[in-house]
Amino acid sequence: MDTLIFLIVALPLAGFLALLAFGKRIGEPFAGYIASATVGGSFVLAAISAVDFFRGIEHGRTVELFEWISSLGLNATFLWDPLSAMMTLVVTGVGALIHIYSIGYMHGDPRYGRFFTYLNLFITSMLLLVLGANFGVLFIGWELVGLSSYLLISFWFEKPSAAAAGKKAFVVNRIGDFGFLIALMLIFAKFGSLDFGYVFEAIHENAAIISVGTATAITLLLLVGAAGKSAQLPLYVWLPDAMEGPTPVSALIHAATMVTAGVYMVARTGVLFELAPVSQGVVATVGALTALFAATIAIGQRDIKRVLAYSTISQLGYMFMGVGVLGLVGGVFHLVTHAFFKALLFLGAGSVIHAMAGEQDMAKMGGLRKKVPVTFWTMLIAWIAISGIPPFSGFWSKDEILAIVFNRGGGYYVLWAVGILTAGLTAFYMSRMMFLTFWGAPRWDEGVTPHESPPSMTLPLVALAGLSAVGGFINTPWRPALEHFLEPAFELVHQTHLPAPGTQWVLAIVSVGVGIAGILVAYRRYVARDTQLETGGVWDTLLAGYHVDDLYGRTIVAPGKTASEVLAFTADAKVVDGAVNGVGGLVKAVGDQFSKLQTGLVRSYGVGILVGAVAVLVWLLAAGGGVF
């Protein structure tokens, strides 16, 4: 079993190394076959390794590979428990489908082999993150997914916008990572170790080992790191620009890898968050505000991929609401179902873009239902799922989060109301996207002839549609299978429970009613009245994302650039370099003056000796004539 767990990471790593060395020579399509096979193989091994968790006969184990930094309590060790197993199945399962889809989507790209090299690196990095048994291995994976996202977002680097988007993602995530690193330093300073088992057991045995203030500081700093990776306020700005990468990259980032890292990390460290009630409220509030804020922006987008990008930011907000109120199972449950329907939506959008010869503007789409039927019907399932309509997957996980938030009472009622409002907006903007893309009269550019994608692209859509339709049944109120599955991973945390069944029914009816209302409003506007994309006024503001990027540019980027220029060209060049050069010039000037004494004439040296001797005698006589 330990060997299988090692091979789960080793297979995509071997694929990465093989393609790194020979990918260009292997070329299309075999590079895609190799990459897909290694990730698919990891999924099979993960499923086999997780069987005992499903049977309830094992709670978890660690697999040590080698000694690393023993002074920090760090070894290269994997943790195989229900939470890491579930994350591994999502990463490799959804990742394998995205790999297969990419075989057809990237057809003809001159850097085909390099693309799959980077994809395998991304999967390997995420597996290290979710399988790490300590903060050290987690942090290695954490940084590697940042590198992988940079490489893939800027994959088409010949486009200035793609190159800039990759750099933006990298820099914004470094801001979050700064907070994460300080949190790790505080953890080590307090516990003398960065091992999950040691730290969490120490807290469980004696909660007084760490004060509420210290726990609050650590968890808020962990939130900074999570906000960077999972694109929460105020560090969300990199994710919409990540759409510059190929569509399979968008699907992988948004569904199975990078953006889920922050949610996973908060869930994994739930023991620490339980000690910090203030941090719980902050996490939940940040999630709720992010969910609402991003949903309002999604309403005004024209680019089909940017609608989905802001949708991801909003849905991640729901997950943070869940884990913030210590509804860890609910937050992780939504992570799983979101992986299904969001991967499907992105890959479906990629199929639409493929059909439209690269067009991404919904103003130039319409009437595509009969032209791309497989894409349409599969995306329709994902649309209903994300809109929270039963019995599709998004309903179960979203409503569980809202019910848990409601059950916290007090000020959390406000967050529940924000979540309900966001649910209505979600149903509206997703319906708007579907109606503008598939309904109405065609608005295609001249020469565009839409066509269905090849089987390598449509078969993953069908598989994800099935998961989006029935995936929610893994955790229902009458059969909470996922909750029981994850019990061993969260046994040290006192989680917030669901309200009474009657209350759950009322909350669900309200949520579904709001979702249906959002769909009907969109139908009336974009189908019944055949309204086209709006422009001007508030719509331009929404399209520009409330001009937050401009605000950051004026208040942070521009002053930072000015300060850098002052430091580089004034402080460094004139002050620092000037001081160093001034000392050198002074030494040289003194040396030049003394060099004049070196005449090379014996008579001059004799006179100098005589003058010096007379001066010494005069000084001695003046100082004390008694010497003689």
Side-chain angles (χ1 to χ4, degrees), residues 281-323:
V282 171
V283 171
T285 301
V286 167
L289 294 177
T290 302
L292 178 61
F293 180 78
T296 60
I297 296 177
I299 291 173
Q301 299 304 301
R302 298 170 58 99
D303 186 316
I304 188 171
K305 287 176 64 177
R306 290 184 76 87
V307 173
L308 297 177
Y310 281 106
S311 169
T312 297
I313 297 170
S314 181
Q315 294 300 306
L316 287 165
Y318 275 114
M319 299 175 209
F320 273 83
M321 287 174 66
V323 295

Side-chain angles (χ1 to χ4, degrees), residues 235-491:
L235 300 179
Y236 72 93
V237 290
W238 67 270
L239 194 55
D241 288 6
M243 299 304 97
E244 292 291 339
T247 298
V249 173
S250 303
L252 195 59
I253 290 175
H254 287 247
T257 54
M258 185 157 166
V259 298
T260 64
V263 179
Y264 165 77
M265 186 265 286
V266 173
R268 175 63 78 186
T269 56
V271 175
L272 286 165
F273 279 89
E274 185 179 357
L275 301 176
V278 171
S279 296
Q280 295 173 32
V282 171
V283 171
T285 301
V286 167
L289 294 177
T290 302
L292 178 61
F293 180 78
T296 60
I297 296 177
I299 291 173
Q301 299 304 301
R302 298 170 58 99
D303 186 316
I304 188 171
K305 287 176 64 177
R306 290 184 76 87
V307 173
L308 297 177
Y310 281 106
S311 169
T312 297
I313 297 170
S314 181
Q315 294 300 306
L316 287 165
Y318 275 114
M319 299 175 209
F320 273 83
M321 287 174 66
V323 295
V325 297
L326 293 185
L328 304 183
V329 173
V332 171
F333 182 25
H334 198 56
L335 183 155
V336 175
T337 61
H338 178 263
F340 299 153
F341 58 70
K342 186 51 62 69
L344 174 54
L345 286 167
F346 266 109
L347 296 185
S351 183
V352 169
I353 295 167
H354 176 81
M356 297 296 295
E359 183 59 67
Q360 296 182 199
D361 189 348
M362 294 185 296
K364 299 180 180 180
M365 296 182 184
L368 291 175
R369 279 179 298 166
K370 296 180 180 179
K371 296 295 183 180
V372 287
V374 177
T375 301
F376 166 69
W377 285 108
T378 53
M379 286 189 72
L380 183 141
I381 292 174
W383 162 39
I384 298 175
I386 195 174
S387 297
I389 307 301
F392 295 92
S393 61
F395 162 75
W396 303 104
S397 56
K398 174 181 65 68
D399 275 42
E400 181 170 332
I401 290 173
L402 291 175
I404 291 171
V405 172
F406 184 88
N407 203 37
R408 284 291 291 261
Y412 288 96
Y413 288 136
V414 176
L415 300 188
W416 173 82
V418 171
I420 287 291
L421 175 59
T422 302
L425 294 175
T426 300
F428 174 80
Y429 70 69
M430 289 305 304
S431 301
R432 171 181 179 267
M433 184 194 80
M434 292 293 292
F435 292 148
L436 289 171
T437 302
F438 295 105
W439 271 264
R443 302 181 297 277
W444 316 329
D445 285 339
E446 186 177 350
V448 173
T449 55
H451 56 282
E452 188 58 274
S453 300
S456 64
M457 294 172 65
T458 55
L459 288 177
L461 297 182
V462 173
L464 288 167
L467 292 171
S468 299
V470 303
F473 289 103
I474 64 175
N475 204 59
T476 61
W478 59 86
R479 189 175 181 275
L482 183 64
E483 181 177 339
H484 295 320
F485 178 80
L486 291 173
E487 276 179 359
F490 297 140
E491 62 182 352

Side-chain angles (χ1 to χ4, degrees), residues 543-564:
L543 181 62
Y546 296 115
H547 302 284
V548 172
D549 276 322
D550 296 335
L551 176 64
Y552 283 0
R554 291 193 303 269
T555 60
I556 299 174
V557 177
K561 183 179 179 181
T562 300
S564 298

Side-chain angles (χ1 to χ4, degrees), residues 140-196:
I140 295 296
W142 189 273
E143 291 303 303
L144 284 175
V145 294
L147 170 64
S148 303
S149 66
Y150 165 74
L151 295 172
L152 285 166
I153 292 170
S154 58
F155 183 75
W156 288 325
F157 56 82
E158 62 275 8
K159 293 168 51 181
S161 57
K167 289 185 288 186
K168 184 176 182 180
F170 194 83
V171 171
V172 172
N173 272 274
R174 298 293 72 72
I175 297 171
D177 293 351
F178 180 72
F180 191 23
L181 272 174
I182 297 175
L184 299 191
M185 294 176 189
L186 290 177
I187 292 171
F188 181 75
K190 190 64 183 178
F191 297 96
S193 175
L194 292 174
D195 181 75
F196 291 154

